[in-house]
Amino acid sequence: MTSVRSGSRTWIVTVIVLLVYAVGVVLAGMPALGLAARVVALVVLAVVTVRRRSLTAWTFFAILAGAELGADAPGVAVHLHVLAEIFLRLVRVIVAPLILGTLTTGIAGHGQLKSLGRVALKTLVYFEVVTTLALLIGAVAINISRAGEGVVVPAALVAQEGPANAGAHVGFEAFLLNVFPENLVAAIGQNQILQVAVFSILFGTALALLSEEKRVPLLAVLDSITAAMFQFTKLIMYFAPIAAGAALSYTVGSMGISTLVPLAKLLVTFYGAAAALLLIVFVPVMLVMRIPLRGFVKAVGEPTAIGFATSTSETALPLAMERMEEFGVPRWIVSFVIPSGYSFNMTGSSLYLSTAAIFAAQVAGIHLTVWQQAVMLLTLMLTSKGIAGVPRATLMILMATAASFHLPSAPILMILGVDALIDMGRTALNVAGNCLAAAVVGKWEGAGNEVPVLGEMQSSIEE
């Protein structure tokens, strides 16, 4: 009872501190008073964070502190991005070995070979339904707000107008070919998550077909590698708050507030649509599948915060896998669903694509009928799956879509001015959506009967 009351007091103090910080932001026109309010809020929040001794709390504090540093000292903030890059490199080192170990041992070591096809089908169906709903919600939101109407494209961007088909879709055949690895070392080096997952599935299947005498020694090695990678993840995550603060500090310091004014309505529309996606899709799914809401929020809080601050889903992948396993989802399901979700279940990216594409049409003064918008959403649904893993994939998709519907590319280039702020929410939704997918598939497979009930997490999540 005492710990519950203490936790409640901590949350009350945190909310008050955030309100004080918000007042400091509102008083930005009075520099001395506004800065004093924000600094006091950050100092009190630091004290509360130290008392909680939670990595999630430290990450949240670092995000606010980084944003403040970026606003007050942009000259310093723009040089801190190297810290986020170091963190990203450390995470990329462990992603491929982690997937290889967890997925291979899950299939070959736990007798899940017969279940693999069923789980794959359920996973892909779930991915398709959720990403389609995300596209629809984004389209409805931008049609309601009409954020593109009245926005004037800067002359400099109009002058840069070129063929809109730059970065066209790579084609289904090329995508299908790219799913299968030609060289495992090259796939790991290029961080081709889907290729590593496909190799792991085939490798695990091959091991499962061997005699126990030949299978056990290699499985023991892979199991040890997997355990070491999870420990490696825990070590790296101590650096996560610093990396999160540095990344957001760089974003705020390098952008400048002037770029936000013309596109403020688009930002509000996107985050409003994101909130709608959570309430209309995520929460009902959890209720229907009887996934404990509070426990799930605790499990995904830290990886989602890291993804939000760094704007890179890869940074959250190892921790997301660890947290969902602690949440009660079997390791082999986690190691299949979450990596494949990085190619097929980008809910945040889907929400953004429909919002940005229709926004571009509104800026250009082009009226799209309901049928044209439906065809556009179908195009986005297909192309978003077809260039998974390609750098700047969303930009390529938008450019290709603009070419298909004869839209100018200048409004899309204009969106890039606030893409960093949108990308934070987009990435956070991608991370949370993939974690939810793992929990849903785990429930479908009767995880509660084989492992700890979903939501009864180990204490490491709360510590």
Side-chain angles (χ1 to χ4, degrees), residues 22 37 67 70 75 87 90 92 109-110 157 175 185 199 205 222 238 279 305-306 331 342 379 383 424 436 439 444 461:
F87 178 71
L90 290 173
R92 282 175 172 165
H110 301 287
L157 291 181
F175 165 69
V185 176
F199 174 85
T205 302
L222 289 173
Y238 286 113
L279 293 175
I306 292 173
R331 175 177 291 182
Y342 274 60
T379 303
T383 53
M424 292 188 293
L436 179 59
W444 272 341
I461 293 181

Side-chain angles (χ1 to χ4, degrees), residues 67-80 249 253:
E68 183 65 28
L69 180 62
D72 296 333
V76 175
V78 294
H79 296 292
L80 297 180
S249 178

Side-chain angles (χ1 to χ4, degrees), residues 7-33:
S8 300
R9 286 196 298 268
T10 300
W11 278 111
I12 293 173
V13 172
T14 302
V15 170
I16 294 174
V17 168
L18 291 178
L19 289 175
V20 173
Y21 187 86
V23 170
V25 173
V26 173
L27 296 177
M30 306 170 64
L33 189 58

